[in-house]
Each structure stands twice: as structure tokens, then as C-alpha cells.
Amino acid sequence: MSKKIQAPLATIKPHTLEKHKDIRIDNYYWLNDRENSEVIDYLNKENEYYNEMTADTKAFQTELFEEMKARIKEDDQSVPYLYNGYYYITRFEKGQDYPIYSRKKGNLEAIEEILFDCNEMAKDQTYFQLGGLSVSPDNKLAIFSSDVVGRRIYTIQIKNLETNEILSDKIENTSGSAVWANDNFTIFYSTQNEVTLRSDKIFKHKLGSKSSEDVLVYFEKDETYNVDIAKSKSKKYLAIESGSTLTTEYQILEADNPDGKFRMFQKRVRGLEYSINHYGDSFYIMTNKDEAENFKLMKTLETSTSKENWTEVIAHREDVLLEDIEIFKDYLVVEERENGLHKIRIMPWSGKGEYYLPFDSETYSAATGANVDFDTEILRYGYQSLTTPSSVIDFNMKTKTKEIKKEQEVLGGKFDKNNYIEKRIWATANDGTKIPISMIHQVGVKLDGSNPLLQYAYGSYGYSMDCTFSTTRLSLLDRGFVFAIAHIRGGEDLGRPWYEDGKLLKKKNTFSDFVDCSKYLISEKYTSAEHLYAEGGSAGGLLMGAVINMAPELYNGIIAQVPFVDVITTMLDDSIPLTTGEYDEWGNPNKKKYYDYMKSYSPYDNIIAQKYPNMLVTTGLHDSQVQYWEPAKWVAKLRTLKTDNNLLYLNTNMDAGHGGASGRFESLKEVAKEFSFLLDLEGIKR
């Protein structure tokens, strides 16, 4: 890469920010106006700089793209599932970027009905995303939603599946999901605040009416909560969920009575989390009630749903996290996590002969799949590991036999799982906590410190980083890279306490855990500082920003995708989407103790004059989760303060949002950009 090209410098326009008598000067605050032509001009100049500086890697990017694309079965389809008399299928056609949704009545030999061809729907759009689909109980109509900007603002419409006609009903500014009442005529949906994008209202719509006539069913006034509506698997109840980081509340209504009034299931109590599943004459409740930090399962009659009536079914366990349940006519299936590993527990309602599905790896992921049928002995679940392609498995809970319905194909004839080693190792954090690291590399890799290694993590919102298979990752592994997932605190990998120990006033544990994992990988000679790379996105981008301020000398390169890096300014601006709902995750900086703590780690506020690693920073102009101006400001400030000549790129997708480009192949081009950045730093040209 040529380094003679002049990097763009954003104009300095000092802006004073004051809170708690503390003054911060933000020289790039002006970048937060996407309607300002000067802002767009700056972003375009950064893109031009990136393109010019990486011009000599364009052919390699194309090669990587074609290589990754060649591993994907283009004419692929999902395993069909049976629901209400129809088999539903999602498939792709060769050369097409988007899925086709279809169904077959009664059996798989029946004539295919095309429900939605997203390739046709995406024509003339620079971005397209199909939202939630919901077929009416009589199978004649389907609710669908679409987003053509990437800001996760969906328009709901209804299609007549018998005539293929799109009805006149059109509902703007929704979250994308909607459900049918049992009358095939009434739908319920959620809308978003136009400024904050908080999902705050539930409406009722009658077919053929104008959306302006829709009835407001519920308005969530608390700005820290979001609302959604769903239908029980039993099809008996509609349920409105109001949820914040720490608290949930449900209201229920019989789906046969759409014009009735929703009634409270259990009124919100701060710190009480619960979710509900209906079965027979009862509800089953996953909850943290009575200090059940890792959650327990309780039960109550549908006629008396308040918490004083709940009785225990599965007790709380300090070493096992209860993650989810699936209810069948004769079985209760429980998803658990113990020592960072998934477990699936089969519990007959008869109370006799419960058991766990056997898994023998330490770097796998297993989860229940599309189990929409209530009266069946078949449990569908997915399994994969770092070396094992994703499989869809039908398991007979009575006979304990299984059928692999599909294993992800890796085309090209070169992939053999026996050519790779997967393992789990444990690093020790600075406070003595053991941090698991899952990794994969080629057989024969020598631990001499010379290996390039990509370390990945997220570490927020209790989101666990599971070990999943990736065909794209093979392009790094086959060129000598080691790939490692650091299961740091802030996720829920080792149970709910793992999450609690990495949020609010303990957030810095997330960052120090990642750094300590890096130090361990170097000390064990999996890599060295000259060959260690780190990657994270969104809140994982915050992680990247924090660790390069803390220990920039450990990393040769950093990839920060849509990074959340201007923590205080964002969390003080309640007009920004998602801000108020996240006070329980990050803290409310309107309170001084949280302000001071945030300021001590916020990447943007802690940039100093020092050497920083080579960096590729990506964002989307229409991002609704992390506004584009955070990475833009961060890069602008880094340019003026860093004391090295290392690479610093800002690449903005001017047509996309938080998830990047839409379409399965367009997204591969973004991966190719990232991989070429890493490989070029290693001097690997092909």
C-alpha cells in the first residue's frame, strides 16, 4: 500500500459540552448532521482515501470474494417445516442475492407456491430487507414488512396468497413484526417513535381499513422500555411484552377475542424478569424471581397469573443458566448453559426418564430450531462447531434416534474438518478470573509466536459468543491464521453473573479481560504482538476502542465495525435511537457516578498522543443502532493525535445501516475488504 497519499483531515470546529461542571471540547461534534453537505463531503473523501490507499489490494479482494462465494451452495434451500397443513421452505437460486419464500400444501411433492421472491422485491433498491412474515390462520393471507433504507424502519403490507394480490392496507413506520388474531381479519403490530426509533405503541388493524383508523391498544410511556406483540405456540393467546434491560411485563388476550381488553399477567417490578409460554390450562414462566440470577422455571394457572401464584418446576442453580424452553404435547425441552456450553434437556411430562442430548465437543453450539408443531415427538435442533458445518437435526424424543436433515455444504472440494484443530483454553484475568477462549487453526501450526491470530469478542448485553462454523473464515485459516473467540465478561457465556460482572460500573472488566486474553495468547506463543489482530462490531467496536487506548502495543491491526465509541455524548442524548433503553446496560450519565465512570473508558474521550495499531473502521450512513458520526468523529480525532504512521481507514457504506450491505453476496464483499486488510498487513498477497 502506498502511504504517500494525504489522508483527509476533518475541519476542527470546537463545541463545548458541559455536564456535572465538567467541560469537554468536541472538535468534531458538527459531523452529526447527515443532511449537511460538508459532512457527506468528508465521508466521501474518507472513502476515496480508503479506495486509493487499497487500490493495489482490489484484485485480491475480488479473489477473496470469489473464493468465499465459491464455497457457498448458490441453489440452496432450508429444511422444510410443517405448519398448519403446509410445508414452508426458504430457498436461493443460483446467481441471486436474496431468498425466495415458498410453501407446499400437505406434502413435499405438492406444487410449490411462491410467497415472496425477495429478488424481485429488491429490484431498483440499493438496500432491501424483508421483515417478519405471518400467515393467517386460514392460510389465505400473509403479513409481510420491508425496509429499503437499512434503518430498521419497516412498512407492513398484506398479500392475498390465493390471488397474489397485494392488498391496499399499508402501515408505515413499524418495527416490522405483526401477528394475526384468530379471526383472519384483525392484526396487531408495533410502531416506533420517529426520532428515537423506540418501539413504543401497539395498534390494532382491521383488513381493508386505513392505517389512520387503527386503534391504539397500548402505549408504553416509559422511555427505557420497548414493546412487542406475539402469539403463543398454543395459538390461544396474544401477548404484549414491555421490556427493559432489567424488567419485563406481559399483558395477555385470547386470540379468539381481538376486540377484548388485554389484561395484566404480572405487573412490572423493577428487577423482575420473566417470559411466558402457554400449555393446557397453565403458563410456564422463566424468571429470576426470588434472586434466581440464572433463572428458574415456574408454573401458574391461566386464571391466576400474578407472581404470588407461581410454583416452582425447575429450581434455580448457581452453576447452570436456564436459557429457553420449548413446549410439546408430551415433552418439555429445556435449553441450558453450563460451564459455557449448551445443553438440551428432554423432560417427559410424565415425569419419567428425563435425559440430556449428548455433545462431546468444547467448541460447539447447539440450539432448538423451528418447532412450530405442538403435537409431535420430533425435536428439531441445530448443531455446529468451529470445525463442523451447521447441521439441522430431527430428534425423536421417544425413541432417542436422530436424523440429520441437512448439513451445510462447503463447496470447492478442499474443505476437510480433519485439517483443523479446535480447542478451548483458559486465560487468567488480572483479578484471577478464568476466561475461556475458543480457537481453531490448521493442523501443524507451530506455537512459536509467528502465527497471525485474529481475536474476536463482543462482551455486552449478556450476549454470548457461541462457537459457530464459518465458510468465510476458511480464507484466513487456510492462509495460516489462528482464530480465537474470547468469552469475556459482559456476555452470558458462563451464566448471568458473567454478564453482571461486565456492565454498568464493572464495564471495564470486559476490556481488561480481552487484553488479558491477548497477553495469554502471546505468552503461550500462539502469536506475538507483531502478528496479533483484533475485531469487534457495535458494542464490540467499543471494546476495540477501549483496548487500543489501554494496550495499543499488543496489536498490529484492528477492525472496528460500526463501533460505539462516543459513549458519554450518545448516552446524554435521549433523542438518539436506543439511548434511554440502555441506561441499565451502561448507566445513566445524568448521574455523576456513571458519567465519571463512562468518561474513564469512553474511547473517543480517551484518545491520547501515542502510537496506535493499523486500523480499519467501518460504518453505515443510515445506521440506527450506532450513528455513523461516532466512528467518523473517532477517526477524525485519531488522525490528529496518533504519533505513528500506521494505517487508519474509515469506510462508510453510504447505502446501508447497522447490518451492512443486504444480500448474501454483497455482504461477502465487505468481508473481503476486512480480510484483505489483515492479509496485506501480514504480507500475504494471494
Side-chain angles (χ1 to χ4, degrees), residues 605-616:
D605 292 288
N606 286 280
I607 298 171
I608 61 173
Q610 66 176 350
K611 292 182 178 180
Y612 283 92
N614 296 286
M615 296 175 60
L616 171 61

Side-chain angles (χ1 to χ4, degrees), residues 18-42:
E18 183 174 358
K19 191 71 177 179
H20 306 302
K21 298 182 180 179
D22 179 59
I23 294 175
R24 293 179 300 136
I25 304 298
D26 188 345
N27 289 330
Y28 306 104
Y29 188 85
W30 64 275
L31 286 171
N32 72 349
D33 181 7
R34 66 169 56 84
E35 303 302 322
N36 183 343
S37 60
E38 188 179 357
V39 172
I40 300 301
D41 182 59
Y42 170 68

Side-chain angles (χ1 to χ4, degrees), residues 149-328:
V149 176
R151 203 156 166 77
R152 301 186 182 181
I153 302 172
Y154 290 85
T155 298
I156 288 176
Q157 295 176 272
I158 298 165
K159 182 176 183 179
N160 184 319
L161 299 180
E162 295 181 319
T163 65
N164 286 323
E165 173 194 6
I166 304 297
L167 305 188
S168 60
D169 308 67
K170 195 170 188 178
I171 308 167
E172 308 279 357
N173 190 39
T174 79
S175 62
S177 61
V179 294
W180 290 95
N182 288 345
D183 62 356
N184 302 294
F185 186 71
T186 309
I187 69 172
F188 293 83
Y189 63 92
S190 58
T191 62
Q192 303 175 117
N193 181 286
E194 291 185 4
V195 176
T196 67
L197 303 188
R198 179 176 73 92
S199 178
D200 60 358
K201 295 184 180 74
I202 302 294
F203 282 92
K204 177 171 60 177
H205 175 83
K206 300 289 187 179
L207 291 189
S209 64
K210 297 178 181 179
S211 61
S212 59
E213 300 171 352
D214 291 352
V215 176
L216 177 63
V217 174
Y218 178 68
F219 171 43
E220 177 53 69
K221 297 178 181 178
D222 191 323
E223 293 183 347
T224 66
Y225 283 73
N226 285 278
V227 295
D228 196 9
I229 186 161
K231 195 174 190 178
S232 65
K233 185 175 176 179
S234 67
K235 304 178 186 177
K236 184 174 181 179
Y237 286 99
L238 301 168
I240 296 174
E241 178 190 4
S242 295
S244 70
T245 304
L246 295 176
T247 310
T248 44
E249 176 184 88
Y250 283 87
Q251 301 171 63
I252 58 174
L253 174 68
E254 285 77 4
D256 286 338
N257 183 29
D259 294 326
K261 184 178 180 181
F262 281 82
R263 62 185 182 274
M264 187 62 65
F265 188 93
Q266 162 57 46
K267 191 174 179 62
R268 68 188 64 176
V269 176
R270 181 165 173 80
L272 176 65
E273 298 175 63
Y274 71 94
S275 60
I276 59 176
N277 284 268
H278 178 253
Y279 171 54
D281 62 357
S282 301
F283 282 95
Y284 286 78
I285 307 139
M286 270 179 50
T287 180
N288 65 348
K289 183 177 179 287
D290 304 322
E291 300 182 349
E293 192 172 24
N294 273 333
F295 290 81
K296 60 182 176 180
L297 187 63
M298 305 189 80
K299 176 184 178 181
T300 193
L301 290 173
E302 57 187 356
T303 53
S304 50
T305 59
S306 55
K307 62 184 174 66
E308 63 270 15
N309 298 297
W310 300 356
T311 58
E312 194 170 276
V313 177
I314 299 177
H316 173 256
R317 292 156 291 173
E318 291 186 0
D319 58 347
V320 178
L321 174 68
L322 180 61
E323 289 197 317
D324 205 358
I325 64 168
E326 190 78 64
I327 291 177
F328 297 88

